[in-house]
Amino acid sequence: MTITKNRDGSRLVVKLNGRLDTTTSPQLERTLLLDDIDEVIFDLTDLQYLASAGLRVLLTTQKKMNARKGTMVVKNANEMILEVFEMTGFSHVLTIEHD
């Protein structure tokens, strides 16, 4: 998986390319330094697969942002990943947008 991060002040855009699974989710977790971030945007345009370990990282990030009164948005998920969000109930927990 490739992780591309772009920071603009207190806004962090994280673009994921590949598979977010048990092998790659620790890599994402290590790179998410949120100390002075108020807004996180996950761009999933190029994410092909999302496993439960990846869902955990998204949920943990959402909880951290909620605790600091920040926001987190998931954008551009493909149909398969949207289905995973629906089946797991994450579609009710995460803010999911489409461009």
Side-chain angles (χ1 to χ4, degrees):
M1 180 177 68
T2 304
I3 302 168
T4 306
K5 298 187 305 184
N6 291 305
R7 183 175 176 163
D8 183 13
S10 64
R11 179 182 195 211
L12 178 65
V13 178
V14 181
K15 187 169 175 68
L16 303 178
N17 184 329
R19 299 171 56 90
L20 184 54
D21 56 22
T22 304
T23 304
T24 59
S25 61
Q27 174 189 3
L28 176 59
E29 212 165 21
R30 282 190 305 272
T31 66
L32 286 176
L33 304 174
L34 304 173
D35 292 339
D36 52 353
I37 299 296
D38 294 325
E39 179 182 14
V40 177
I41 299 169
F42 283 99
D43 183 347
L44 305 185
T45 302
D46 298 317
L47 189 69
Q48 290 114 20
Y49 178 79
L50 178 64
S52 60
L55 287 170
R56 184 185 53 76
V57 175
L58 293 177
L59 182 60
T60 300
T61 304
Q62 180 69 67
K63 287 180 178 181
K64 287 178 183 177
M65 295 310 294
N66 288 350
R68 65 170 31 130
K69 306 288 190 241
T71 60
M72 184 183 112
V73 177
V74 174
K75 289 188 172 189
N76 304 320
N78 67 34
E79 290 300 317
M80 184 184 76
I81 291 172
L82 288 173
E83 188 174 313
V84 170
F85 289 149
E86 284 293 322
M87 289 186 327
T88 58
F90 274 62
S91 58
H92 301 293
V93 176
L94 303 177
T95 302
I96 302 171
E97 296 179 355
H98 304 280
D99 281 344

